[in-house]
Amino acid sequence: MTRGGHHGAQELIDPFGRLIEDLRISITDRCNFRCTYCMPEEGMKFLPRSEVMSFEEIERLSRIFVERYGVRGIRLTGGEPTVRAHLPLLVEKLAAIEGVNGPVDLAMTTNGATMRHLAQTLRDAGLRRVNISLDTLDRPKFFEMTRRDELDNVLDGIEAAKEAGFDPVKINAVIERGVNDDEIVALAEYGRRREVEVRFIEFMPLDADGHWENAQVVGQDEIVETINATYPIEQMPARGAAPADRFRYLDGRGSIGVIPTVTKPFCGDCDRVRLTAEGQFRTCLFETREFDLMSAMRAGESDDEIARRIEAAVATKWAGHRINQVNFVRPAKSMSQIGG
Ligand code: SAM
């Protein structure tokens, strides 16, 4: 589903008129954490190396999206992107891609544990933005949630990202009822103090253990009311295609975001598509269908042929996920296997 667009490029437009401008690429399904809301403690089966997209394959698909379809943003994720060997080389390759909308806006989501060692190199290689995940400021709780004793390294990694010049550094905090919902204000305070934007994420049904229940979701309204009671906030103008609703502190000390996937789905404004580490194309985090671009590439298909596959897939993008409906079917893959 394309139409002639800006300066001769095509645009990827889905059946509901949404323009696809953002590509999330999982570059590995491996991770050095085992967050309870994402991965199992033991027994995770990782892809063999030969089934993971090579840097050349990632670059090739990225070029198609950016050069052919004017995609503006690419976000690297996983698994944990920083465990992929030679990551700065990949960043360098991708940062050099320029489409009709200019150089690609290259971002990464990471758990931050090794950012002290990597931040400057990644920045120099052309990475523009980072989001770092941090769900709690309490060391035992951090261990309970991630099954790793890495809180100090993550906090230091956030400082390293700031020192390397990433601006803004955003923090992703998944809030789970009965686990870390007592830390909403503490996390907001951390953001104010360290001048980073904390984005509170509603817990989604993508945990590997399949334990997700609606009752564990702390919704946007509750998060906003909780913060507002201590630090008054007001909603900022409409988010556009970005997933976070933003709120600013009335005292001028920054802002927060809330990603209300479950209680206030924002599918109507979705401009995102995804590639898993094994080169499967997905049009929604919660889709059960995937389109196999890896086999197409390895069978020697041309860019034109692969582009046709991408267009056919985008033509199936649904109006929205069905988390709140009785006929919701969880994807067989968990968040770390899809790429959050
Ligand atoms: N390893 C990196 C990280 O920790 O940020 C990148 C991949 S991780 C899957 C991307 C984001 O998804 C993280 O912010 C993580 O907290 C979030 N996430 C994982 N499972 C989730 C779930 N079930 N519900 C909501 N967010 C989740």
Side-chain angles (χ1 to χ4, degrees), residues 14-221:
D14 78 8
F16 301 93
R18 294 168 298 192
L19 175 64
I20 304 302
E21 295 200 289
D22 188 41
L23 174 65
R24 308 276 165 121
I25 308 177
S26 171
I27 61 170
T28 177
D29 60 332
R30 288 167 197 262
C31 189
N32 44 356
F33 284 17
R34 291 289 180 277
C35 300
T36 50
Y37 51 72
C38 187
M39 284 172 105
E41 183 165 14
E42 304 277 349
M44 191 75 199
K45 289 228 163 37
F46 295 110
L47 296 166
R49 191 54 218 277
S50 61
E51 287 176 26
V52 174
M53 283 193 288
S54 67
F55 283 3
E56 289 68 29
E57 286 163 337
I58 295 171
E59 184 188 0
R60 180 175 177 201
L61 292 180
S62 299
R63 280 192 184 281
I64 294 177
F65 281 97
V66 174
E67 294 176 352
R68 196 174 280 241
Y69 297 121
V71 160
R72 293 171 190 271
I74 290 181
R75 176 171 294 276
L76 303 181
T77 181
E80 171 50 43
T82 59
V83 305
R84 179 94 190 231
H86 313 300
L87 174 61
L89 279 181
L90 175 65
V91 165
E92 222 166 75
K93 282 174 189 286
L94 300 183
I97 300 178
E98 204 163 327
V100 283
N101 291 318
V104 68
D105 179 19
L106 192 62
M108 179 176 80
T109 302
T110 172
N111 63 31
T114 58
M115 280 306 266
R116 172 56 66 193
H117 310 293
L118 278 173
Q120 194 64 57
T121 317
L122 292 174
R123 178 103 183 129
D124 294 344
L127 188 68
R128 290 211 205 162
R129 296 185 294 121
V130 284
N131 286 23
I132 299 180
S133 301
L134 173 71
D135 308 317
T136 171
L137 296 162
D138 177 72
R139 194 169 159 193
K141 180 71 63 68
F142 190 95
F143 183 76
E144 189 189 313
M145 291 186 78
T146 64
R147 300 177 177 123
R148 296 292 184 268
D149 187 16
E150 293 276 352
L151 175 61
D152 288 347
N153 286 333
V154 172
L155 292 174
D156 188 44
I158 293 169
E159 298 306 318
K162 287 168 59 182
E163 287 161 27
F166 288 107
D167 184 24
V169 171
K170 291 184 185 168
I171 305 302
N172 286 357
V174 178
I175 304 297
E176 214 181 321
R177 186 164 318 279
V179 178
N180 64 341
D181 53 338
D182 56 341
E183 279 194 78
I184 293 172
V185 173
L187 286 163
E189 269 165 4
Y190 168 80
R192 288 163 60 84
R193 198 167 60 242
R194 301 310 311 147
E195 296 180 355
V196 289
E197 181 170 297
V198 180
R199 293 147 35 107
F200 297 90
I201 303 177
E202 292 182 354
F203 180 34
M204 305 174 207
L206 290 171
D207 55 316
D209 295 331
H211 292 154
W212 181 91
E213 280 178 31
N214 220 303
Q216 292 164 287
V217 177
V218 180
Q220 166 162 320
D221 290 347

